[in-house]
Amino acid sequence: MEFRLPELHRNWPFPRLENPFFKEGNQLSREWFDSHQLFNEVMQHKFREIKSGTLAAFAYPNLSKDHFRVACDLMNILFAMDDISDHLNVTDIRSLAIAALDGLRNPDSPLKFQEQHRMRAVHMSFWKNASKIASNTVKRRFVKSYDAYVNAVVQEAMERRERQVRPSLEEYLTLRRSTGAIKPSLDLIMLPLEISDEYLELDSVKELELIAIDLIAIANDIVSFNVEQARGDIHNAVIVLMEKQKLSIQEAMDFVDEWYQRRSSKFIDIMKEMEETLDESDRMQRDLKIYIKGLAQWVTANYEWSFETSRFFGPHHKDIYKARAVALMPKRGKGKNINSAVSNF
């Protein structure tokens, strides 16, 4: 059986860009991440195939060399969190979340605390490095955004344990907006920017953030649907629509496509109106304009990276990008627990 992927970005006007410091930043970040020894050699090789640095290069094309390195580090952490948490029970995921947040909140803790939990050590190292060069805006927002992310992952695990499928797409989105760590990722757009809460709390800015998060999350659900349905996952928009509205795979894909086009059109309209009103002679308004463009760039980056990695479509990712036809994978369950490949995560 086959289904066709919708061409989600057929009307999206923001082109793919790439950070010029990609090669250097990616290599330094890889060495830093490997030094924490979260995975064994086999899993480490598989982890590199994700191409997290490529996503960072697409998502943060205008960051300086030092800021881009921070972005690469975060992408490595988030994919590690995702891969590890997908295979843990609720108790262990809660422990993982506590360790991660403790690392962010106490980056200068004595070494003995790092030895207790490697994921804590990774987060400590990340935030200690990032906070040296991050803007006050990022320092003010990032940990709060990350807190919402890890708590949402715990909630997702609880629902996964109970095989609880959310009753509607909108209800599903209330959780999905946080489980993908999109908000803390968007915060890093502001690494070199200083924007007051007065501007960031504007209704139009909050709406753009919300739509960007929705577009990123749903595009990910579209491309990851096949592997997720094969291993029995339920936290996916396509699966929610199939279950609750009794749609076929293709009907659910087409439904999501129409929803995505409406949301993306609204984003473009709001962005255009905002850009016309912002005064670039004012530094903070200029920074706000950069941030808004960065939101659009993240939407582009997420979609384009999905067909550069083998994470969703194996070795055929480039062919699928062109042809859009996908063979439905057979159900196979979760497989071997990742704990055997992780070193005291």
Side-chain angles (χ1 to χ4, degrees), residues 16-50:
R16 181 167 97 178
L17 303 173
E18 183 174 317
N19 192 290
F21 302 109
F22 162 63
K23 187 174 182 180
E24 181 179 356
N26 184 50
Q27 182 61 33
L28 289 171
S29 184
R30 176 183 293 179
E31 292 170 1
W32 167 82
F33 183 81
D34 289 354
S35 72
H36 288 277
Q37 300 179 336
L38 282 176
F39 300 122
N40 66 18
E41 187 174 344
V42 173
M43 279 299 298
Q44 189 63 53
H45 176 74
K46 185 177 180 181
F47 187 79
R48 288 179 180 175
E49 293 178 352
I50 296 172

Side-chain angles (χ1 to χ4, degrees), residues 16 36 45 88 146 229 311 324:
R16 181 167 97 178
H36 288 277
H45 176 74
L88 299 180
Y146 208 89
Q229 65 80 28
R311 188 171 179 83
R324 324 302 296 180

Side-chain angles (χ1 to χ4, degrees), residues 139-192:
K139 293 176 186 177
R140 197 170 64 240
R141 290 164 63 94
F142 181 83
V143 176
K144 181 180 179 181
S145 297
Y146 208 89
D147 189 314
Y149 154 59
V150 295
N151 280 289
V153 170
V154 174
Q155 180 63 35
E156 179 190 356
M158 293 170 62
E159 295 183 9
R160 183 168 61 232
R161 180 184 62 191
E162 303 300 325
R163 304 299 299 168
Q164 178 184 341
V165 180
R166 296 219 156 192
S168 67
L169 179 60
E170 193 54 47
E171 184 68 21
Y172 165 75
L173 279 169
T174 61
L175 181 63
R176 183 66 175 93
R177 287 169 180 141
S178 295
T179 57
I182 302 168
K183 186 63 168 62
S185 299
L186 297 180
D187 285 344
L188 290 200
I189 298 169
M190 295 182 285
L191 277 168

Side-chain angles (χ1 to χ4, degrees), residues 199 271-272 274-293:
Y199 280 112
M271 180 176 176
K272 183 178 179 181
M274 279 210 67
E275 288 188 327
E276 290 174 351
T277 62
L278 292 174
D279 180 6
E280 291 202 35
S281 65
D282 179 272
R283 179 178 177 180
M284 195 168 290
Q285 292 189 47
R286 185 167 66 249
D287 281 358
L288 181 59
K289 190 172 184 177
I290 293 171
Y291 175 58
I292 291 168
K293 289 182 177 178

Side-chain angles (χ1 to χ4, degrees), residues 40-89:
N40 66 18
E41 187 174 344
V42 173
M43 279 299 298
Q44 189 63 53
H45 176 74
K46 185 177 180 181
F47 187 79
R48 288 179 180 175
E49 293 178 352
I50 296 172
K51 297 186 177 181
S52 59
T54 300
L55 175 57
F58 292 170
Y60 308 100
N62 300 312
L63 288 185
S64 68
K65 181 170 65 175
D66 290 341
H67 285 147
F68 177 67
R69 163 65 197 282
V70 170
C72 287
D73 290 351
L74 180 63
M75 293 302 102
N76 275 317
I77 288 174
L78 293 179
F79 281 114
M81 290 284 286
D82 186 49
D83 283 358
I84 292 171
S85 65
D86 269 352
H87 298 267
L88 299 180
N89 61 38

